[in-house]
């Protein structure tokens, strides 16, 4: 007595089609992901924070060399503000917190903010 092989269950209509070999065919859809909004970290000038401390903070938290940090510090001093770096929102917020914490611990009124980069 030979028995018939079992029949596979019926597939729901929303399942993808299969080829004759039993492989599942999926349609590839390209997704276009928009890059994240970038934010610039800006330090603001004040009349009390020493220039040396500003250079130190730029080197410490923004990984700039002495020459670049000094250039940014002079821009802050002369223009009233200077961009220290451009990051994603979370990283920019962390950088602002680090600078403000260091300034507070050192007793300086240095201000730092993050702003969206205009495209």
């Amino acid at each position: 007595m030979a028995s018939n092989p079992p029949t596979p269950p019926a597939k729901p209509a929303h399942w993808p089609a299969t080829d004759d070999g039993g492989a599942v065919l999926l349609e590839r859809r390209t997704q276009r992901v928009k890059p994240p909004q970038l934010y610039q970290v800006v330090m603001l000038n004040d009349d009390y924070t020493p220039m040396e401390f500003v250079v130190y903070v730029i080197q410490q938290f923004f990984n700039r060399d002495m020459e670049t940090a000094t250039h940014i510090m002079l821009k802050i001093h002369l223009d009233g503000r200077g961009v220290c770096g451009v990051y994603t929102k979370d990283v920019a917020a962390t950088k602002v917190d680090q600078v403000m914490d260091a300034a507070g611990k050192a007793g300086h009124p240095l201000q730092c903010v993050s702003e969206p980069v205009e495209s």
Side-chain angles (χ1 to χ4, degrees), residues 38-41 62 64 83-88 91-92 115 117:
L38 294 178
Y39 289 76
Q40 58 189 9
V41 178
F62 299 96
R64 306 291 188 204
V83 176
C84 298
V86 177
Y87 307 95
T88 59
V91 174
E115 304 171 342
V117 174

Side-chain angles (χ1 to χ4, degrees), residues 5 12 39 44 52 55-56 61 70 77-78 81 104-106 111:
Y39 289 76
L44 307 175
E52 294 81 12
V55 170
Y56 165 77
F61 299 114
T70 303
H77 180 70
L78 297 173
R81 58 190 280 126
K105 286 180 180 175
Q111 293 296 303

Side-chain angles (χ1 to χ4, degrees), residues 15 19 24-25 30 32 35 37 45 57 60 82 89 91-93 95 99 108:
W15 279 25
D19 65 0
V24 176
L25 302 176
T30 358
R32 295 192 179 162
Q37 171 71 47
N45 187 44
V57 166
Q60 184 72 26
K89 186 175 185 176
V91 174
K95 298 284 185 186
V99 170
H108 299 302

